[in-house]
Amino acid sequence: MAGETITSFYAHDHDQLDGYFKNFQTLKRKNYPQAKENFKKFKSGLQRHIAWEEEILFPLFEEKTGMTDGGPTFVMREEHRQIKALLEEVHKKVQRQNPESDQEEQQLWDVLKQHNHKEEAILYPAIDHVASDEEREAVFEKMKTIQSGPDSP
Ligand SMILES: [Fe+2]
Ligand SMILES: [Fe+2]
């Protein structure tokens, strides 16, 4: 991944995950098995994405800037907890093949959208700014050790 920035890689991953979620929503009242496949990809991909951030990316930012409690990664970790709880709400309905999860999906989408926007506009560029090329490459290397979500459906 030579030359790839944290911002471009992670923003692309957000877009890919958004696509799975949108497919799930479009398909859930037409073809539930296909919708469910998309939800699984969304859920495990999002869990992996959050693990990459919390275990690899944010610690680098915290180490380089000394900002921990009260800093931007602290806020992002809080939002991850909200996102995971809402993801679980939708997941419970998906497990029962119940498509009536519009409200939970909307809540999840609202939190996720503004969260991703803050990361793409502020946090990722800040990490690209403080990290050396070697440190950025090390992030991409370490990411290979986390392949999927801890409890993929
Ligand atoms: Fe995040
Ligand atoms: Fe993210």
Side-chain angles (χ1 to χ4, degrees):
M1 276 182 247
E4 177 109 67
T5 64
I6 297 296
T7 308
S8 64
F9 181 90
Y10 277 78
H12 176 78
D13 202 43
H14 286 166
D15 291 343
Q16 189 166 29
L17 295 170
D18 287 354
Y20 293 138
F21 188 69
K22 288 286 156 193
N23 289 345
F24 161 70
Q25 291 188 306
T26 310
L27 288 163
K28 71 176 182 173
R29 289 188 173 92
K30 296 177 194 151
N31 181 333
Y32 210 87
Q34 255 186 46
K36 193 169 182 174
E37 272 314 299
N38 277 276
F39 184 79
K40 280 187 195 176
K41 285 183 187 163
F42 171 69
K43 182 171 181 280
S44 65
L46 183 56
Q47 286 167 331
R48 179 178 67 171
H49 182 97
I50 289 175
W52 282 342
E53 292 181 338
E54 294 197 350
E55 293 169 33
I56 300 165
L57 201 55
F58 294 178
L60 173 65
F61 176 83
E62 289 156 1
E63 183 197 310
K64 298 292 282 188
T65 62
M67 282 194 262
T68 51
D69 284 4
T73 52
F74 179 81
V75 180
M76 293 300 107
R77 288 178 198 273
E78 280 297 314
E79 292 182 359
H80 286 167
R81 273 195 274 279
Q82 271 180 282
I83 289 165
K84 283 179 173 176
L86 290 165
L87 182 62
E88 218 27 70
E89 290 302 306
V90 181
H91 183 221
K92 275 185 214 156
K93 292 206 170 162
V94 173
Q95 282 176 314
R96 284 185 246 120
Q97 308 250 14
N98 177 0
E100 303 307 322
S101 50
D102 295 6
Q103 204 185 325
E104 294 90 337
E105 287 160 36
Q106 191 59 48
Q107 285 177 327
L108 173 60
W109 185 250
D110 290 345
V111 176
L112 195 58
K113 271 283 113 175
Q114 57 85 21
H115 174 83
N116 290 351
H117 178 74
K118 280 188 274 186
E119 288 181 340
E120 290 176 26
I122 301 161
L123 187 58
Y124 299 156
I127 295 170
D128 278 316
H129 185 73
V130 297
S132 66
D133 290 349
E134 291 73 22
E135 285 165 333
R136 197 162 43 223
E137 285 309 310
V139 165
F140 289 126
E141 277 305 309
K142 278 188 212 159
M143 281 163 57
K144 293 177 187 163
T145 63
I146 300 175
Q147 278 306 325
S148 66
D151 53 351
S152 315

